[in-house]
Amino acid sequence: MNDSWTRLEHHHAAVADRPILSLFSNPQRFQAFSAETGGLLLDFSKTNLDEEILQDLIALAEESGVPDKRDAMFRGARSNATEGRAVLHTALRSQDTGALAAGGEDVRPGIKAARDRMERFAEGIRTGTITAPGGRAFTDVVNIGIGGSDLGPLMAVRALAPYHSGPRCHFVSNADGAQISDTLALLDPGTTLFIIASKTFTTVETMTNARTAVRWLEEAVGGDAAGHLAAVSSAPARAAGFGIAEDRVFGFADWVGGRYSLWGPVGLPIMIATGAERFREFLAGGCQMDQHFRAAPLRQNLPVLMALTGIWHSNICGYATRAVLPYDQRLDRLPAYLQQLDMESNGKRVTSCGAPLQRASGPVVWGEPGTNGQHAFYQLLHQGTQIVPAEFLIAAESHEPHLKEHHDLLKANCLAQSEALMRGRTLEAARKLAQGAEDAAVSQDCLARHRTFPGNRPSVTLAYTRLTPFVLGQLIAFYEHRVFVEGVIWGINSFDQWGVELGKELAGSLLPMVQGAPADGKDGSTRGLLARLSG
Ligand code: F6P
């Protein structure tokens, strides 16, 4: 067993009951246990980390090869070994101009050419120089994709609502026909553009939705349907085979993983909604975080500190989940986006070499925006028997200066929650509150026990000035690198996703059975359910 792991476990035994609040007897606690880059602040002082523990976590990162593996990834090494691919989504947002090779080829010229094409197309749609076949400007854009071809652009388009200045953007992902049906009901086929986004251009949900969209178009505009289609894919020949005009297919390389793909052509809806200029600001934010991640010492490195906090909580403290709690309504899809980024990357059970993991890998990631979550699941965060490390996000300023009262309330609530989780309320304090309570059908002592909060529940807070395209880029790159560092420490390949295959294969074999074929070879439950669902 690695020495740092052993030391961390010893630390845990020693500090498990230490109140986090007691660490603030050091007046410098906040300064020492927060870090900032490019206006983004990470406060991890409301955790039970102290300097000695943090140094051992940093030693763990170094022993695990985080700096070398980070540098190798940025250099274009085949960090995704099981798929034999480089991992170079960072190149899509890089401002470097020097050659960068993947598979023996400099990738920079292709990235620039692809972005230039994207920009021409997006600006053409936005300004009306590219129109629908009938000559009318496109009023609506529907992105048809799923997973990484949906969650990133969907999350970002919602996050950047104050910057929208183009056609309305819609997203259809689910195999459930309800989604495309409800979406189409809102639209005029004569002014709607569909972007079929699929890295592989084989994903069954996307292909099914795309066929439905084409049928809908054909019924309305007949032979002009192709003029309402564009595609984003790393399999351009398949997109062309589907009937998409060659100049409407936006390709990207296989060294961009699906869940890391919103920085390139998969981000087309973001560019159409907000414009090329804003998209460049978004890329600049991601690039700023890359530069920080590559250059900052580990002790000041935001993604590394976030990852180490995560390792401490999941592996050493044994907390099985973590909650992402944006106090920023426009980040309402961030938790879903991070679920794919984190759980598809690090939900693994063998090392890169195929050996069974000796420790837990990625925790369950979940969450909802505050303050809504406060009125739903925060009860469990405060008084449940499980400890859930919380990750708060909050802006100093909103995009609605005329609604300052709202934003002040939002900030107060965000800070109140992290304070309440840490501070808790003692039984003694609860007894005072319970004194004189006449209504309860239980004793005052019983009531006081219900009103006690154990506290000592950790959280981190990310604070930024305002949710701009630049900040959004920083945030996403920050989380990408956090996931990367954790994956390196666990010794896993964070860039493949074999775990999604089995369900896809079985769905393929079940489809004919759903349509009436005999359910040979299936278990009793599946047979019973097939019978119940027939019709
Ligand atoms: O099923 C998982 C997955 O492969 C994701 O990794 C990916 O983002 C998603 O499906 C969509 O894939 P594609 O872009 O190839 O349609």
Side-chain angles (χ1 to χ4, degrees), residues 83 144-151 197-207 232-234 238 252 257-261 266 340 344 495-497 499-501 504:
E83 296 181 322
I144 296 183
I146 197 165
S149 300
D150 167 71
L151 289 164
S198 174
K199 182 174 173 183
T200 55
F201 229 77
T202 57
T203 304
V204 67
E205 293 93 332
T206 302
M207 294 301 106
V232 172
S233 183
S234 56
R238 287 197 195 118
F252 61 100
R259 54 194 174 274
Y260 300 88
S261 63
V266 168
Q340 186 196 17
E344 200 171 71
F495 300 104
D496 61 12
Q497 56 283 319
V500 302
E501 296 300 326
K504 286 186 192 173

Side-chain angles (χ1 to χ4, degrees), residues 41-280:
L41 174 89
L42 169 67
D43 170 24
F44 59 108
S45 61
K46 290 192 186 100
T47 65
N48 212 342
L49 294 176
D50 58 28
E51 195 57 43
E52 219 181 321
I53 299 173
L54 190 52
Q55 288 306 326
D56 279 328
L57 285 164
I58 290 171
L60 176 66
E62 278 164 350
E63 285 159 19
S64 310
V66 168
D68 288 349
K69 289 184 176 149
R70 170 196 62 196
D71 295 347
M73 176 178 75
F74 277 93
R75 272 200 315 271
R78 286 197 195 191
S79 300
N80 178 359
T82 55
E83 296 181 322
R85 291 175 185 165
V87 175
L88 275 179
H89 53 277
T90 52
L92 298 173
R93 59 204 186 212
S94 169
Q95 287 165 355
D96 293 352
T97 48
L100 175 64
E105 200 186 312
D106 182 8
V107 300
R108 305 253 195 237
I111 292 171
K112 169 140 186 9
R115 192 176 319 137
D116 287 349
R117 281 190 66 218
M118 247 176 105
E119 290 192 1
R120 281 197 297 276
F121 185 66
E123 289 303 329
I125 300 284
R126 288 165 53 78
T127 55
T129 55
I130 297 176
T131 63
R136 289 158 72 199
F138 286 112
T139 56
D140 294 86
V141 174
V142 183
N143 187 82
I144 296 183
I146 197 165
S149 300
D150 167 71
L151 289 164
L154 167 62
M155 177 272 295
V157 164
R158 292 178 73 91
L160 298 180
Y163 300 89
H164 287 192
S165 53
R168 290 176 290 268
C169 285
H170 313 262
F171 291 84
V172 171
S173 52
N174 205 316
D176 187 341
Q179 193 182 21
I180 192 157
S181 173
D182 290 353
T183 305
L184 296 181
L186 305 170
L187 303 174
D188 174 353
T191 58
T192 299
L193 174 76
F194 291 89
I195 300 172
I196 320 295
S198 174
K199 182 174 173 183
T200 55
F201 229 77
T202 57
T203 304
V204 67
E205 293 93 332
T206 302
M207 294 301 106
T208 306
N209 280 319
R211 284 192 298 272
T212 300
V214 169
R215 276 197 303 275
W216 180 77
L217 281 171
E218 282 171 348
E219 277 165 25
V221 301
D224 284 342
H228 293 259
L229 300 176
V232 172
S233 183
S234 56
R238 287 197 195 118
F242 186 83
I244 316 251
E246 207 182 312
D247 64 338
R248 293 277 183 93
V249 179
F250 299 88
F252 61 100
D254 69 358
W255 40 256
V256 180
R259 54 194 174 274
Y260 300 88
S261 63
L262 80 171
W263 309 99
V266 168
L268 193 53
I270 312 170
M271 202 188 262
I272 292 176
T274 66
E277 183 72 32
R278 297 282 169 256
F279 194 78
R280 273 185 240 129

Side-chain angles (χ1 to χ4, degrees), residues 296-347:
L298 302 192
R299 179 62 180 85
Q300 273 99 49
N301 195 308
L302 268 73
V304 172
L305 293 167
M306 186 74 161
L308 296 179
T309 306
I311 295 278
W312 170 255
H313 287 150
S314 64
N315 292 111
I316 307 297
C317 303
Y319 307 147
T321 85
R322 56 185 171 218
V324 181
L325 308 169
Y327 276 65
D328 201 321
Q329 181 60 31
R330 294 195 177 102
L331 289 176
D332 64 343
R333 296 303 286 162
L334 182 71
Y337 170 78
L338 292 181
Q339 281 178 329
Q340 186 196 17
L341 178 65
D342 202 325
M343 294 162 79
E344 200 171 71
S345 298
N346 285 344

Side-chain angles (χ1 to χ4, degrees), residues 324-328 331 334 391-395 462 464 475 479:
V324 181
L325 308 169
Y327 276 65
D328 201 321
L331 289 176
L334 182 71
E391 301 179 1
F392 295 99
L393 294 99
I394 181 80
L462 282 163
Y464 41 91
L475 281 172
Y479 276 109

